[in-house]
Amino acid sequence: MSGRAPSPVAVDVAVDTQVLGFARRLAAAGVDVPPTRVHAMLEALDVLGAAELRPVYWAGRTTLCGSLEDVETYDRVFAAYFGGGPARPPNRVAVPPVQRLVAVPVDPADVSGDGDDRDAPEQRIATASRIEVLRHRDVATLSAADRAEVHRYVSALLPAAPDRTTRRRKPSPSGPVDARRTVRSMLRHGGEPVELRRHSHGRRQRRLVFLIDVSGSMAAYAETLLRFAHAACRVRPGTEVFTVGTRLTRVTRELRRRDPAAALAAASATIDDWSGGTRLGDELKEFLDRWGQRGTARGAVVVIGSDGWERGGPEQLATQMARLSRLARRIVWVNPHRGYIGYSPSTGGMRAALPYVDRLVAGHSLAAMQELAGLLDSSGREGDRARGHA
């Protein structure tokens, strides 16, 4: 590919949806596309505008390509995704014209964290500078409009679990000699060893399992975590999502809906114990008895979203966490209070669970959600277990 930019063109579907779909297609073609690069492309389009195809092309090529080797694949996927053949960049793409975004002065009150935004227009377009401010704000302090903007970005994340080696082997240019395929090749060539065939173990992504606390103390953060889980369900169809409070509820089917608003509405209608109490130990036991022990948690990356408040005894939670740690490959605990300066795990539930947790991370802001997506997408290979790391 020559790498020439496509000619100008008008656009006609939501820009973030188009960018997310294109990033997935590019990742499927073998290009490493972490969530940070997707957000970089969105921020570039905020500045350049997407009313023409040329800035869309260059915004993606500049942010999504990590090396010169990625450019050829990028050009081919771009041409195939937006129309036209790989030998010639497309002339048209379906995306609606969007308003060019310009930087505006940020009110110091916006940085203070009080979330009071009554004077802002209802349909205000967030600028790149404002999104950068919102990235680090606690979602519990945001106004409804700012929280909706943060949730839109959370829904565009691409969380993915680390992969694992499978027993099944596949043809490979390197690796041990595949005796069976080599002999068959020799027989086809009159017994001459024309080529040594090789194979290697395949790799498969690990299952992601979410256990999200929807009790009263987590009410301000539960929706953000559910939107993150919904993004994971879209990227990895094998993801499982449960809510815990006073009862265990499986909401995987509801969160498989493509539209985030429809998925959250369906999940909310299914959850009967929203903003109730917390019985983490009992609900974790029910999960392990009904689902985890039968294979759902076996070898999986388990994400528990909770502040650790436990109405039951911490002994039960410790016992069930020990069971879970023997089944899961990694346990990531997302505690919104982890993002506060000077935080230390002081609740009985957190102290009981911490010895069995691989990573304790924050979950209070967009930046924390982006960090979590990168953590799940990172290597996290076998042996990477650091119990009680805070």
Side-chain angles (χ1 to χ4, degrees), residues 47-268:
V47 177
L48 299 176
E52 296 180 351
L53 186 56
R54 185 183 301 274
V56 176
Y57 172 88
W58 286 112
R61 175 167 167 177
T62 306
T63 56
L64 301 183
C65 294
S67 64
L68 291 176
E69 291 75 18
D70 293 339
V71 173
E72 183 176 354
T73 304
Y74 174 86
D75 287 345
R76 184 177 68 253
V77 175
F78 189 95
Y81 183 78
F82 291 117
R88 173 170 136 186
N91 290 326
R92 295 201 171 265
V93 60
V95 191
V98 298
Q99 180 175 349
R100 182 182 297 274
L101 301 180
V102 295
V104 298
V106 179
D107 190 336
D110 291 335
V111 188
S112 64
D114 59 8
D116 189 0
D117 212 8
R118 299 187 189 94
D119 296 332
E122 283 294 326
Q123 301 300 325
R124 179 192 55 213
I125 299 177
T127 63
S129 60
R130 179 164 183 78
I131 286 299
E132 187 58 30
V133 172
L134 291 178
R135 282 183 69 243
H136 301 281
R137 298 255 308 264
D138 190 321
V139 295
T141 68
L142 296 179
S143 66
D146 286 343
R147 190 179 298 114
E149 186 67 23
V150 168
H151 285 166
R152 184 174 72 86
Y153 276 78
V154 171
S155 297
L157 292 174
L158 299 171
D163 54 5
R164 62 180 176 86
T165 303
T166 63
R167 293 184 179 181
R168 183 172 303 224
R169 295 177 181 268
K170 62 179 183 179
S172 173
S174 60
V177 174
D178 186 338
R180 180 177 298 179
R181 293 178 62 243
T182 299
V183 170
R184 287 179 179 174
S185 176
M186 291 172 59
L187 292 177
R188 286 195 296 269
H189 294 85
E192 293 293 331
V194 176
E195 179 184 5
L196 289 178
R197 302 297 179 92
R198 300 181 181 275
H199 60 187
S200 63
H201 288 287
R203 299 199 70 84
R204 177 181 300 173
Q205 283 201 322
R206 295 187 178 277
R207 186 193 305 275
L208 263 177
V209 179
F210 288 87
L211 297 169
I212 299 175
D213 186 346
V214 294
S215 64
S217 62
M218 283 289 293
Y221 306 99
E223 182 180 353
T224 304
L225 290 169
L226 283 171
R227 285 181 178 271
F228 183 90
H230 172 257
C233 286
R234 293 205 320 268
V235 175
R236 301 305 306 169
T239 300
E240 290 284 348
V241 186
F242 300 82
T243 62
V244 295
T246 57
R247 57 172 294 182
L248 178 75
T249 306
R250 182 173 181 258
V251 292
T252 303
R253 179 178 300 177
E254 289 74 14
L255 292 185
R256 282 177 181 163
R257 301 189 182 193
R258 191 168 188 83
D259 180 65
L264 265 291
S268 297

Side-chain angles (χ1 to χ4, degrees), residues 206-207 291-300 326-329:
R206 295 187 178 277
R207 186 193 305 275
W291 303 91
Q293 200 75 42
R294 298 183 180 182
T296 300
R298 196 175 300 278
R326 291 192 291 268
L327 292 171
R329 170 53 58 181

